[in-house]
Amino acid sequence: MKFFIDTANLDHIKEANELGILDGVTTNPSLMAKEGITGQANIEKHYQKICDIVDGDVSAEVIATDFAGMVKEGTHLASLAENIVVKVPMTKDGIKAIRHFYENDIATNCTLVFSSAQAILAAKAGATYVSPFIGRIDDSNWDGISLIKEMAKIYAIQGFETEILAASIRSSMHIVQAAKAGADVCTCPLSAIMGMFKHPLTDLGLEQFLADYRKGNN
Ligand code: G3P
């Protein structure tokens, strides 16, 4: 399973990248706004800064909602750096745009996916990635991980090549569950990645090893 970080925070991206296990970055307009990045020119500069840090795929989301606008904007975003993946919302025009990008060798991430029916449309259109929003589904009293399982089953039966990118991840437990459910990628906040390190027995065990070493080497 690939690991993406879901943020526009450059310090978080650098910290995750330095672990050596980061495969990419996802952003969205809300994450950009959270970092105070506003105005299209600044947003584009920020994508370039992210692409300078990370070799893997970096999702850059279109703001246009009509087919022609998405194609124009997405084509421009894809020209900013080789590793840009154009993030397109799950709408009728979005699906048409994903198909257009597929036919023009531009990688895409179909975002705001909340059902297997939508996931089938994204795969049929040729999306590189499809992003089911696990946390938001859980927040709505449904089961986000069940959706990943169902999508993984359908994609395997049908031989779809679109990669399932588990998004809206809230915790390290979500990452483990998404991996078990068959997600190809997990995009997570830094806090969820760092949470994966934590186990009290690791801390206690290391403390004991060091104490024993010191006893024998003093
Ligand atoms: O990758 C999608 C993600 O950014 C949405 O996460 O936490 O706003 O539901 P969240």
Side-chain angles (χ1 to χ4, degrees):
M1 187 177 74
K2 290 188 226 170
F3 257 123
F4 288 1
I5 187 164
D6 193 28
T7 186
N9 182 297
L10 297 181
D11 291 333
H12 286 191
I13 292 169
K14 282 180 199 150
E15 190 174 338
N17 197 44
E18 279 163 12
L19 291 172
I21 56 165
L22 192 68
D23 300 301
V25 179
T26 51
T27 63
N28 62 39
S30 305
L31 293 170
M32 282 287 180
K34 196 172 161 194
E35 298 308 316
I37 314 295
T38 54
Q40 198 53 28
N42 289 331
I43 290 172
E44 289 178 14
K45 270 188 218 147
H46 203 73
Y47 285 138
Q48 275 163 330
K49 284 183 194 166
I50 296 173
C51 290
D52 286 344
I53 301 170
V54 177
D55 293 333
D57 288 347
V58 173
S59 287
E61 188 156 344
V62 296
I63 302 302
T65 53
D66 63 299
F67 171 71
M70 285 181 188
V71 166
K72 189 171 171 218
E73 202 184 330
T75 305
H76 174 64
L77 287 172
S79 74
L80 295 177
E82 271 189 9
N83 49 338
I84 289 277
V85 172
V86 181
K87 204 171 182 188
V88 179
M90 164 45 69
T91 60
K92 282 186 198 166
D93 281 40
I95 284 297
K96 280 165 66 180
I98 287 168
R99 189 68 199 175
H100 169 89
F101 291 131
Y102 173 76
E103 285 165 359
N104 287 276
D105 287 329
I106 291 177
T108 53
N109 175 356
C110 183
T111 189
L112 290 167
V113 166
F114 293 90
S115 74
S116 290
Q118 293 177 327
I120 291 170
L121 290 172
K124 284 292 294 174
T128 313
Y129 299 104
V130 60
S131 289
F133 276 32
I134 301 315
R136 292 192 194 184
I137 294 173
D138 288 357
D139 291 345
S140 312
N141 238 346
W142 290 318
D143 182 358
I145 296 298
S146 291
L147 174 60
I148 302 271
K149 280 186 202 156
E150 188 172 84
M151 283 171 57
K153 193 170 175 188
I154 293 168
Y155 278 22
I157 291 169
Q158 298 298 332
F160 288 142
E161 287 175 6
T162 299
E163 293 187 45
I164 300 171
L165 192 167
S168 184
I169 292 282
R170 302 280 163 76
S171 65
S172 45
M173 184 50 80
H174 258 162
I175 300 173
V176 173
Q177 290 171 329
K180 201 172 153 193
D184 300 292
V185 191
C186 248
T187 190
C188 342
L190 184 65
S191 57
I193 298 174
M194 291 309 169
M196 297 175 79
F197 284 96
K198 289 184 192 161
H199 200 291
L201 291 180
T202 303
D203 300 338
L204 285 172
L206 183 59
E207 208 176 293
Q208 186 68 55
F209 286 155
L210 294 178
D212 289 343
Y213 174 85
R214 279 193 291 267
K215 265 188 243 161
N217 289 279
N218 271 339

